[in-house]
Amino acid sequence: MCGIVGYVGEKQAAPVLLDGLEKLEYRGYDSAGLAVLDGKNNINIARAKGKLCELFKKTDGGKALEGVCGIGHTRWATHGEPSENNAHPHFNDDKTIAAVHNGIIENYAELKGKLSRQGYEFYSETDTEVATKLVDYYYKKHGDPVRAIANFVLRVRGSYALAVLFKDYPDQIFAVRKDSPMIIGVAGGEAFIASDVPAILKYTKSVYYVANTEIAHVEKGKVTFYNLDKEVVEKDLTEITWNAQSAEKDGYEHFMLKEMHEQPRVVKDTVNGLIKDGKIDFSDFGLSDKDIAKVKHITVVACGSAYHAGVAAQYVLEELARIPVRVELSSEFRYRNPVADKNCLVIVISQSGETADSLAALREAKKLKMKTLAIVNVLGSSIAREADGVLYTKAGPEIAVATTKAYSSQLIAGYALALKFATVRNTITQERYKELLSELSTLPEKIECILKQKESIQHFASEAANKKNVFFIGRGVDYAVCIEGSLKLKEISYVHSEAYAAGELKHGPISLIEDGTLVIGVLMQENLIEKTLSNLVETKSRGAYIAAVTCGDDKKVENVADVKITVPYTDGLFAASLAVIPLQLFAYYLSVLKGNDVDKPRNLAKSVTVE
Ligand code: F6R
């Protein structure tokens, strides 16, 4: 949802900013822009509609904008269509202030009205231009950037990460955020602002996490933070453990392909991070055995694929720990006035840790005095900081918009929670516990083995290239995989698909099955294979073309399926970790065949920081 960058140092700013924006392009890619202070007290701006390469061309790789201090932006349109005019940065009327913004200013219409009455004119449809002119208004009133921004914060409603250049302050950037991510990195005589770590990993791993409404004054190699009363706030630097290479494609054609191939390692790292002395241990994540014993219900809140990981966790948790689990979309939970329950643990799952709805759901749970646990991938993200406890998945930076490795690591966190709750609640035998723990450690190798057969999935994708509608059906954990497989297909290949619990098909959607409709059945649960198989037969009788993802050599499956995709055997509870791999590959190859932009699918952005 828009990415912002800033740089001040010894180098030419524009190429560094473009490089950072390239790493953030997953956050928005309908237009981009740069503003650079040229050392002669001018702020020069370049903006371009379309992907970042357009801005790159327009500025000759940044050479056209001289200066060592600047800000940049890649946009995912909220207010106003994608166009050069609406692209950031935006200027004040006399071009002495320029700003980039990520988020939404909710009261922008009211503020625009007030500023218009003060004589301000507007050239774009954006809330960011309003934000820039509001800062200008307060700057002209107080003559001080920090005070101007503090007044801006007091006046606006909504979410924002804002970086501002003032002509009067060469080689300095002023920034603030509220509910939109922002980090500031320092290295020697340089300082960097970014919406996310990958943008600056190449330059530094020492970062400050900017807290809500803190104002940063960024100079060469130095950052000073202020609160709204202009008192200095002391902050500690955090060292990032991700390596710079993890934000590069590393020879793969797409980040998504690379990230799918990282899944064996990511799953292994996540499992290893959860086991201490041969047992699952949650004591480092703010969830002691005593805390767990008090929990009577669990509510998982999340969006998109993270929600799907929650659905898989629900089946495993209820099966192993015999505890009631409810999984809710964050966007629903936050507004449905949930009943406060002090015995309920609310688990928020989020790769980015910045998803606006999930952050709001977390706050709602905290307001209701429920204990909260975050399962998050990005260190120091808002959800991680605000939850009572946090379990970090070990996926490393995920750049492709469609999640793969982060989803896989979220699944592992869910299994580990289930095993932990089961031991504390005494609902699992030692034997079964050990069996599952040992099965968990075999998953990376099994995922690797599926990835090695990727050509067969590529072939299947080429056969399915003309399908207009695809159905995914399964039961139990297999159903949880289906909803994820269906989402992957929709988002990157733009093929219409639906996922249904296999038993539900005949209650309506079966009327959509016609000659040649592709139905993909996930058949990983030994006790449910026959049931799902009969649902597949029902669709086959109506002309469907059947593909089955399964782990056995069951002849019954072969008799029904036109295409059989076999993955290694695993316990049914962990089936999602294996069955999802061919579904990810299928969506990927279909997207490639269609010539889509796999890593940056249309209309989407990775970190959804607006509701
Ligand atoms: C789908 C996808 C999205 C995210 C969702 C939540 O491939 O990536 O559906 O899962 O936007 O994002 P996070 O996990 O960052 O809260």
Side-chain angles (χ1 to χ4, degrees), residues 79 104-117 122 125-131 134 155-157:
H79 296 77
I104 286 191
I105 308 291
E106 286 164 6
N107 54 339
Y108 88 103
E110 169 205 327
L111 294 169
K112 191 171 184 174
K114 288 197 170 147
L115 288 166
S116 299
R117 286 193 287 281
F122 293 88
E125 299 157 82
T126 65
D127 54 347
T128 305
E129 190 190 352
V130 177
L134 189 65
R155 200 66 190 78
V156 300
R157 285 198 309 275

Side-chain angles (χ1 to χ4, degrees), residues 302-308 330 348-356 358 375 383 398 400-404 406-407 410 484 487-488 491-492 604-608:
C303 305
S305 295
Y307 170 84
H308 298 160
S330 309
V348 186
I349 308 181
S350 173
Q351 186 283 127
S352 62
E354 298 292 348
T355 301
S358 296
I375 298 178
I383 292 174
E398 192 176 60
V401 165
T403 182
T404 52
Y407 166 82
Q410 289 161 351
E484 176 59 7
L487 178 65
K488 287 282 93 73
E491 63 184 330
I492 60 169
L604 293 176
K606 189 156 183 76
S607 178
V608 185

Side-chain angles (χ1 to χ4, degrees), residues 271-288:
V271 171
N272 290 344
L274 292 163
I275 294 178
K276 230 192 231 167
D277 301 327
K279 287 197 183 120
I280 306 275
D281 188 342
F282 270 74
S283 53
D284 288 350
F285 313 132
L287 202 62
S288 66

Side-chain angles (χ1 to χ4, degrees), residues 177 179-183 208-212 214 235 238 353-354 359 362-363 366 372 374 376 378-390 392:
R177 77 158 202 124
D179 296 343
S180 282
M182 179 188 279
I183 52 162
Y208 291 106
Y209 287 96
V210 185
N212 270 348
E214 258 170 19
K235 286 177 78 74
T238 302
E354 298 292 348
L359 181 58
L362 169 71
R363 288 179 180 163
K366 290 191 76 172
T372 56
V376 166
V378 178
L379 183 78
S381 53
S382 301
I383 292 174
R385 279 183 291 166
E386 292 189 25
D388 299 320
V390 53
Y392 283 108

